[in-house]
Amino acid sequence: MKITPKLEVINVLAPIFSGKNKGFTLIELLIVIAIIGILVAIAVPSYQTHIQKANRIAAQLALTKLAQEFERANAREGSYPAGSTSSTDTYTFLAVTSASANTFTITATPKGSDECGVLTITQTGETTSSSSSGCWN
């Protein structure tokens, strides 16, 4: 006579998914919502600061590129282009505020609020901002 062992399958998840414990309690949901709220309160200001810095760097790049164009014109023609010009992108208003045969000043004015304010560059390469000295670093 041959004896075969009886294998029993034990369902470990049976107590969890039995008819008694379905769903989440209100306390569990409130804890999850509070954790998500704390994470959002930390992440959103950090993200906004990052976007503001990226827009400032884009404005600095635009100022530098325009100053290089003025320098190329000076190298070709012997003087800077006279007159004023302006352009607008999504975040800044770029303008040549003064230009003569020997000098130019280009400004970038932010459309929104920015801690650096108006950024400027001149023919000598001098860079300034209207409110903080460390904005071009």
Side-chain angles (χ1 to χ4, degrees), residues 1-5:
M1 175 173 206
K2 190 175 183 186
I3 300 175
T4 58

Side-chain angles (χ1 to χ4, degrees), residues 9-36:
V9 178
I10 300 173
N11 190 353
V12 179
L13 299 176
I16 295 173
F17 292 111
S18 66
K20 297 178 188 176
N21 297 327
K22 288 186 178 177
F24 299 104
T25 65
L26 181 60
I27 298 296
E28 292 170 335
L29 289 175
L30 288 175
I31 290 171
V32 169
I33 290 172
I35 291 171
I36 290 171

